Amino acid sequence: AQSVTQLGSHVSVSEGALVLLRCNYSSSVPPYLFWYVQYPNQGLQLLLKYTTGATLVKGINGFEAEFKKSETSFHLTKPSAHMSDAAEYFCAVSETPDKLIFGTGTRLQVFP
Amino acid sequence: DSGVTQTPKHLITATGQRVTLRCSPRSGDLSVYWYQQSLDQGLQFLIQYYNGEERAKGNILERFSAQQFPDLHSELNLSSLELGDSALYFCASSRQGGRGGYTFGSGTRLTVV
């Protein structure tokens, strides 16, 4: 079965610093991969997704993620953190055409 | 506005009671998914419907049930409520299943007192 592991339930960075949120997946078939963001008291919002093609995927709000098959990773990065990036981030992999499997989430804190 | 509508936004009820949460999927989406999010359990998949039929079940308690109606809206029924059922309940919809990603509603916050 496919699964997702998010390393680090909490990540703290200073404003302007690099954001790196880690996600590793397991899959026996080519995966479809997603990053979602959840702001306080809101639903999950799609940040970006990888299906096929270019392995570097750009999303909203300056985030991007790179699919690395050899490392089974799909880490999320942003060059310079803003205070508004503070939220919870979820990585997800498509298990079957019907279902997404979500990771346990990483809470990002941004300090001034 | 994501296009997925959940009502009510907040619900406070007593233990032992029964509540119904409602979800209208994004226009054109046939699949509806229900998730429970709590501090200790994280995001838990409950159940999926596709075009009126149950497609997959996750960690859904027997006290909980759901259905999807011909107009594609869905309802999640929670009965014999316990304090531990207090959580955010999200509905999501999709057109292409998991491969296309899900669109989430803003959730219903249930508080059981």
Side-chain angles (χ1 to χ4, degrees):
Chain A
Q2 296 180 337
S3 66
V4 172
T5 301
Q6 290 186 242
L7 299 173
S9 57
H10 290 82
V11 170
S12 298
V13 300
S14 299
E15 195 171 20
L18 171 72
V19 175
L20 171 61
L21 305 182
R22 300 178 187 273
C23 172
N24 287 90
Y25 69 91
S26 71
S27 174
S28 58
V29 298
Y32 285 56
L33 296 159
F34 304 81
W35 275 100
Y36 282 83
V37 60
Q38 184 182 24
Y39 299 103
N41 298 313
Q42 294 187 27
L44 278 71
Q45 178 184 0
L46 183 65
L47 263 183
L48 49 80
K49 65 180 179 183
Y50 168 79
T51 53
T52 58
T55 57
L56 183 61
V57 180
K58 294 188 185 299
I60 62 173
N61 302 337
F63 283 93
E64 60 184 35
E66 187 171 10
F67 170 60
K68 291 187 176 180
K69 184 178 178 181
S70 61
E71 298 177 8
T72 61
S73 69
F74 191 57
H75 301 332
L76 182 71
T77 61
K78 183 174 180 177
S80 176
H82 294 166
M83 296 294 291
S84 60
D85 294 327
E88 187 147 20
Y89 293 80
F90 292 89
C91 183
V93 62
S94 173
E95 178 177 79
T96 67
D98 285 335
K99 200 161 77 171
L100 286 185
I101 301 297
F102 286 89
T104 52
T106 297
R107 184 167 298 278
L108 175 65
Q109 287 184 303
V110 182
F111 293 100
Chain B
D1 181 9
S2 68
V4 177
T5 304
Q6 288 189 249
T7 57
K9 291 194 183 305
H10 302 276
L11 200 49
I12 301 175
T13 190
T15 54
Q17 294 298 305
R18 182 179 190 275
V19 297
T20 297
L21 312 183
R22 182 188 169 101
C23 169
S24 293
R26 194 177 56 163
S27 178
D29 288 357
L30 299 180
S31 284
V32 169
Y33 309 80
W34 285 97
Y35 282 84
Q36 180 193 58
Q37 187 179 40
S38 60
L39 284 175
D40 54 345
Q41 297 286 330
L43 194 64
Q44 296 283 318
F45 168 67
L46 295 179
I47 197 164
Q48 178 206 355
Y49 279 83
Y50 177 81
N51 203 21
E53 295 192 0
E54 182 182 304
R55 180 64 70 92
K57 254 184 176 178
N59 301 321
I60 188 166
L61 300 172
E62 285 191 10
R63 300 184 285 109
F64 296 0
S65 64
Q67 54 184 325
Q68 186 179 28
F69 295 87
D71 67 352
L72 300 179
H73 91 271
S74 178
E75 292 182 355
L76 179 66
N77 301 295
L78 315 176
S79 61
S80 303
L81 285 167
E82 303 174 357
L83 295 178
D85 297 327
S86 296
L88 262 172
Y89 291 84
F90 287 108
C91 168
S93 71
S94 74
R95 195 160 301 164
Q96 300 172 265
R99 296 295 171 93
Y102 297 171
T103 302
F104 280 81
S106 57
T108 293
R109 181 172 293 280
L110 173 66
T111 303
V112 183
V113 297

